[in-house]
DNA sequence: CCCCAGTCCTGCGGGC
DNA sequence: TGCCCGCAGGACTGGG
């Protein structure tokens, strides 16, 4: 579930390792299927140990540690991964530990309950190939209105599934797509090529607003409690959701409609049929 | 090319 | 009460 706001919160929490030297890269024994690590852990370890973390960044829904070697160590949490500096939710799902010297935090952990996430090391060129160019669109926080429109307006798909396409715009996931479209007053079923210029503008504005608000509240921790910030604290934005997982309740915006749940490309979408056109 | 369904995986909640 | 099935959805793969 980590989308842009949750991954950005993880990134900010992990800033305490900036300038640290990686003393050890430790793959923790996991009773079930081990987490995917590329290249194999022994080779990856040789390339990261002794290296300095010169940047703690984010690319889409990934936390990216840039090292002084030019390599980037990428944590891709997918559904249930967390980047932590302390107190994991459970010891059993800890996957990787980085021990560091010379920075504010002694260790960084990668925790992942379902283990769908990935930890991988990329050379500069590999980074451009895997996470650049046509693989990933501009970041949802910094994309311009014109870019967003240019990348989606030609499509005949429905706008909600289109917003989940990371090649078009990076960072929006299932939860925030519903929230963004609700604030913008646009039906999730509206075809991209049927949005007006004013609607693109509104959609772009609401994308920034919703994502920035969610970051301010340190992301959304749903009822399963999985998502936590780097200090294992729950986020707060779930208390501000207007449509997501609120099927049957009155629309908090127009007070007239009832929030509906539909399925688009096998994923739940929540919206208000009264005020989203 | 464009789009959709299936896959990975675990834990939880609904239904019987 | 207890068990089992289905669902949650990020990103990739394969196929129409």
């Amino acid at each position: 579930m980590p989308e842009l706001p949750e991954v950005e919160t993880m990134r900010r929490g992990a800033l305490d390792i900036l300038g640290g030297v990686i003393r050890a890269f430790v793959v923790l024994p996991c009773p079930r299927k081990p987490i995917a690590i590329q290249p194999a852990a022994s080779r990856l370890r040789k390339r990261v140990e002794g290296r300095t973390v010169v940047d703690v960044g984010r690319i889409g829904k990934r936390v990216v540690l840039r090292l002084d070697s030019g390599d980037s160590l990428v944590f891709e949490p997918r559904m249930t991964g967390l980047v932590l500096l302390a107190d994991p939710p459970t010891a059993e799902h800890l996957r990787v530990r980085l021990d560091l010297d010379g920075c504010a935090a002694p260790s960084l952990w990668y925790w992942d309950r379902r283990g769908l996430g990935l930890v991988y090391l990329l050379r500069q060129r590999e980074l451009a190939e895997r996470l650049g160019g046509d693989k990933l669109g501009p970041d949802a926080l910094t994309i311009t209105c014109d870019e967003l429109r240019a990348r989606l307006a030609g499509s005949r798909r429905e706008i909600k599934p289109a917003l989940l396409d990371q090649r078009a715009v990076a960072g929006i996931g299932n939860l925030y797509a519903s929230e963004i479209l609700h604030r913008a007053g646009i039906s999730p079923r509206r075809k991209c090529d049927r949005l007006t210029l004013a609607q693109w503008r509104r959609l772009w504005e609401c994308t920034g607003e919703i994502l920035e608000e969610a970051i301010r509240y340190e992301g959304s921790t749903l009822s399963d409690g999985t998502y936590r910030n780097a200090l294992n604290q729950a986020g707060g934005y779930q208390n501000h959701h207007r449509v997501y997982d609120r099927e049957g309740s009155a629309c908090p915006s127009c007070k007239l409609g009832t929030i509906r749940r539909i399925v688009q490309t096998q994923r739940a979408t929540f919206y208000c049929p009264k005020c989203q056109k």
Side-chain angles (χ1 to χ4, degrees):
Chain A
M1 183 239 108
E3 306 181 24
L4 187 152
E6 289 76 27
V7 178
E8 175 62 17
T9 303
M10 291 178 204
R11 182 194 76 81
R12 294 183 185 186
L15 279 170
D16 276 359
I17 70 161
L18 195 55
V21 177
I22 299 171
R23 185 175 69 248
F25 176 93
V26 182
V27 179
L28 299 152
C30 206
R32 315 217 180 175
K33 194 190 176 215
I35 190 79
I37 296 173
Q38 297 162 345
S42 56
R43 286 209 286 154
L44 187 149
R45 185 181 306 121
K46 288 188 184 126
R47 284 172 53 197
V48 303
E49 287 180 351
R51 292 300 176 179
T52 301
V53 178
V54 297
D55 186 53
V56 178
R58 177 181 60 77
I59 299 180
K61 301 173 190 172
R62 303 156 190 83
V63 173
V64 179
L65 307 185
R66 200 160 55 81
L67 310 181
D68 60 349
S69 57
D71 289 348
S72 291
L73 184 58
V74 182
F75 296 88
E76 187 171 310
R78 302 221 174 159
M79 293 300 294
T80 55
L82 297 176
V83 173
L84 299 156
L85 296 188
D87 285 344
T90 65
E92 134 186 57
H93 300 109
L94 277 173
R95 309 289 181 154
V96 169
R97 191 185 79 231
L98 282 187
D99 294 326
L100 301 117
D101 293 316
C103 58
S107 302
L108 175 143
W109 310 81
Y110 180 73
W111 180 96
D112 196 333
R113 175 155 52 73
R114 282 164 70 178
L116 298 177
L118 310 168
V119 175
Y120 51 96
L121 186 70
L122 300 175
R123 303 180 195 281
Q124 229 153 13
R125 221 187 97 197
E126 295 170 329
L127 185 76
E129 285 166 5
R130 284 271 298 261
L131 304 178
D134 54 351
K135 291 284 177 61
L136 217 55
D139 193 79
L141 272 187
T142 52
I143 194 170
T144 66
C145 183
D146 286 344
E147 277 177 320
L148 183 69
R149 185 165 49 86
R151 291 176 156 267
L152 290 174
S155 170
R156 288 184 205 170
R157 351 159 45 178
E158 296 173 330
I159 182 64
K160 193 269 189 169
L163 284 178
L164 301 183
D165 184 350
Q166 302 298 299
R167 289 166 305 181
V169 50
I172 301 172
N174 200 52
L175 189 163
Y176 293 104
S178 284
E179 293 294 326
I180 288 165
L181 287 167
H182 177 255
R183 180 167 303 186
I186 297 168
S187 166
R189 316 180 92 135
R190 180 155 292 269
K191 302 273 203 280
C192 291
D193 62 0
R194 302 295 303 276
L195 263 71
T196 66
L197 215 61
Q199 284 180 314
W200 283 113
R201 183 92 202 160
R202 184 89 188 112
L203 179 62
W204 172 76
E205 286 168 355
C206 293
T207 297
E209 285 176 17
I210 293 276
L211 296 178
E212 278 165 23
E213 276 175 37
I215 291 169
R216 206 147 58 235
Y217 286 99
E218 303 205 313
S220 300
T221 299
L222 303 183
S223 53
D224 71 357
T226 297
Y227 168 72
R228 328 290 292 181
N229 70 12
L231 300 178
N232 190 23
Q233 297 158 333
Y237 195 66
Q238 66 281 1
N239 301 317
H240 300 267
H241 294 170
R242 295 187 155 237
V243 288
Y244 186 80
D245 209 14
R246 303 191 78 91
E247 183 187 21
S249 51
C251 173
S253 297
C254 70
K255 324 267 196 231
L256 295 172
T258 302
I259 304 307
R260 282 188 55 192
R261 180 190 190 274
I262 59 172
V263 174
Q264 293 175 288
T265 63
Q266 302 175 297
R267 274 168 205 162
T269 301
F270 299 87
Y271 75 109
C272 170
K274 277 270 192 287
C275 63
Q276 291 179 254
K277 300 297 178 190

